[in-house]
Amino acid sequence: MSDITISLGNNDTNTRQDATSDFISFWEKQAKNLSWFSSWDKTLDWNPPFAKWFVGGKINASYNTLDIHQKIKSDKPAILWEGENGESRILTYEDLWTRVQKLANALKSIGVQKGDRITIYLPMIPELPISMLACARIGATHSVVFSGFSATAIKDRIDDSKSKVVITADGGYRRGNVINLKEIIDEAIKDLDFVKNVIVVERTKTKLRLSSKDILWNDLIHDSYDLCIAEKLDSSHPLFILYTSGTTGKPKGVLHGTGGYLTHLYSTFKWAFDIKDSDVYFCTADIGWVTGHSYVVYGPLLHGATQVMYEGAPDFPDASRMWEIIQKYRITIFYTTPTALRMFMKFGDDLPNSFDLSSLRLLGSVGEPINPEVWKWYFKIIGKEKCPIIDTWWQTETGGMMISALPGLETIPLKPGSGTLPIPGIHISVVDEVGNELPPNTKGYLVIKNPWPGMLLTLWGDDQKYRDVYWSKYKNYYYSGDYALKDTDGYFWLLGRADDVLKVSGHRIGTAELESCIVSHHDVAESAACGIPDEIKGEVIIVFVVLKQNATTDTATLEKELIVKIRNDIGAIATPKQIYFVTRLPKTRSGKIMRRLLKAISSNETIGDVSTLEDDIAVSEIQSAFEELQKSIQKKP
Ligand code: WTA
């Protein structure tokens, strides 16, 4: 298939030109689209690797997403909420504004102050964005934890952020089942005395055991006043912490500020989605991940857009759920993941073809590389060859999109499988091991060469780790951890992670985190996790385990115990597809586990496929490690 050009009628060449001449004044101009209480003295304070945008400026995220819309679109629906069980709710911009102010006052009444952290552990219900915006209104920093995480994972996150208040629900629906979220929180906070209160939304009406710390949401806001003036916050005031997996054991608390982050989102949401007042936007991401923070909560609300928010699993009660929602709400812009698309594609064309999808005008993809054949299916079957597809590359750390086609700004040919060009004002390169720019069509590491407004402030409580993880491989470049290549047209092609981070169904999972969970089992001596390609999920997890000499449990029982442990310590998303028990792990002379060899073995590749990859070790060494590992797998103790 040759390149595809679909124009939405936008051909603004000035924006890119402006951005090339001076990225700092370019972003300064974009920041003026927001409402500031007072302007900044300095656009960028770059003290590498720490960036402060719009220094001296005062702003509030909740004011920019709610108050500014009240004069002209207070009646406009902000959220068209669709419950998993078919219930629905409509919240206008005024409804949202009122509820946010009530909760903000209620939070103040229980002692929450500017600078405090609040952990939010809620399913996809309107109370989730309301909670985030109430925090933002009073300058508390929210830390949203995905509602699929286990008690141990939440405990780590609450402990690290030292959140004084937790907001949760009695339960959440997932594929028709009720998950008892409140019980999970009770377990998570039982030794965390600094948590003063737990606010509980009644969603599933599950029977609750309330302690003296617990307050029901409805009781808390019942008498709360619905006027709460938004705090005038510094531009770099921490808006949120979002924990994400990396190459080190514990999840990292990615910290984002306010003014720069909002500028990045305002601009990318407008350019990428070509947002118009009449649009009905639907992003399928859970707010517990960064896509939900940036492109369910902040991006659409900054623009006063109407969006659908869906509570449950995309294939519940069946695989036509998304198409049904698109038809029901006349969705115009649809943003989802390659994993979801691969799953829908598996069910064939008849299902989507039996729904009226004619309202769609723009499609998006995020979170993992999209296979060209999936791209083409999306284009043809869902978009009926009339909708541009934006393949948006970015990360929790970047805050917003960094590479994407921008149909709201310009018309460029699309190439299935390529993210196309960097966002204006963002300088991206593909470099080799030592930082030299690579010629076109050569695989290398994707780096970002200049600070950008949505960039993370630091890692919560750990500036050194922030330096080490992102700014130590290359002195002056941000290291993304991704492989990429740039073609002769300057288009970027993302080629997966270059480090030990896995992407399973688009969720980020660190191998180190998984391995430390496994070795904490009393019978395990050592373990190594890797990802292998999967037709639907992109990648699935394979784990190799070496048992202690004195281990007594049989491997069938152990396998079950390890799976339970992983689910308890991390969550179901980290469940391995296969656990191999081996007598030893293949290591290089310097003691490094040969991960690519494990990967090759698990994917049934031949030794020839790996030897070229492991350039730091002799082929003979790989050969013998390969053979030994194969033998030891067959033996299975
Ligand atoms: C991957 C998700 C290819 C990439 C927004 C990145 C992608 C990681 C794409 C960040 C894309 C995200 N094409 N790969 N369009 N988008 N990735 O923090 O490996 O959950 O580094 O942010 O997802 O994952 P995160």
Side-chain angles (χ1 to χ4, degrees), residues 545 547 553-556 580-583 632-637:
V545 174
L547 295 180
T553 328
D554 65 284
T555 49
Y580 291 119
F581 292 96
V582 295
T583 42
S632 82
I633 288 177
Q634 282 157 11
K635 266 197 272 154
K636 270 202 177 183

Side-chain angles (χ1 to χ4, degrees), residues 150-154 156-157 513 516-518 520 564-571:
S150 68
T152 315
I154 299 157
D156 288 348
R157 288 156 173 80
E513 192 184 351
S516 53
C517 157
I518 294 167
S520 66
V564 170
K565 187 162 178 39
I566 292 165
R567 286 170 166 260
N568 286 344
D569 288 5
I570 307 174

Side-chain angles (χ1 to χ4, degrees), residues 500-560:
D500 296 330
V501 171
L502 308 179
K503 271 266 154 165
V504 179
S505 299
H507 302 321
R508 235 165 109 163
I509 296 165
T511 49
E513 192 184 351
L514 200 59
E515 288 159 7
S516 53
C517 157
I518 294 167
V519 294
S520 66
H521 186 288
H522 53 85
D523 276 337
V524 175
E526 234 185 332
S527 107
C530 65
I532 62 163
D534 179 83
E535 223 180 292
I536 305 279
K537 297 181 168 184
E539 256 186 328
V540 285
I541 304 169
I542 305 288
V543 169
F544 291 80
V545 174
V546 180
L547 295 180
K548 283 186 184 155
Q549 294 221 310
N550 57 357
T552 47
T553 328
D554 65 284
T555 49
T557 312
L558 251 172
E559 190 168 335
K560 284 195 197 112

Side-chain angles (χ1 to χ4, degrees), residues 130-203:
I130 291 171
S131 300
M132 293 161 77
L133 295 172
C135 290
R137 197 157 189 94
I138 60 175
T141 301
H142 58 73
S143 165
V144 178
V145 178
F146 172 57
S147 64
F149 275 124
S150 68
T152 315
I154 299 157
K155 180 182 179 178
D156 288 348
R157 288 156 173 80
I158 298 177
D159 197 18
D160 189 72
S161 61
K162 294 282 175 298
S163 294
K164 176 159 161 186
V165 170
V166 175
I167 306 181
T168 189
D170 49 357
Y173 290 108
R174 194 73 182 172
R175 292 182 202 287
N177 298 319
V178 172
I179 321 250
N180 287 325
L181 302 176
K182 172 63 169 51
E183 276 178 18
I184 298 174
I185 288 295
D186 286 346
E187 173 66 25
I189 64 161
K190 76 173 183 259
D191 301 321
L192 304 180
D193 293 339
F194 56 83
V195 177
K196 295 280 170 263
N197 289 111
V198 176
I199 301 170
V200 189
V201 179
E202 291 167 284
R203 164 70 189 123

Side-chain angles (χ1 to χ4, degrees), residues 242 244-245 254 289-292 295 335 338 365-370 390-401 403 417-419 446 478 480-483 493-499 501-503 506-509:
L242 184 53
T244 189
S245 297
V254 171
W289 308 112
V290 75
T291 306
Y295 296 103
Y335 190 33
S365 170
V366 61
E368 330 148 56
I370 178 165
I390 53 167
D391 172 8
T392 63
W393 176 86
W394 56 292
Q395 310 180 298
T396 305
E397 294 84 344
T398 68
M401 297 172 190
I403 296 177
S418 165
L446 188 133
Y478 168 89
S480 69
D482 273 6
Y483 284 127
W493 297 77
L494 274 301
L495 305 171
R497 297 291 305 191
D499 55 12
V501 171
L502 308 179
K503 271 266 154 165
H507 302 321
R508 235 165 109 163
I509 296 165

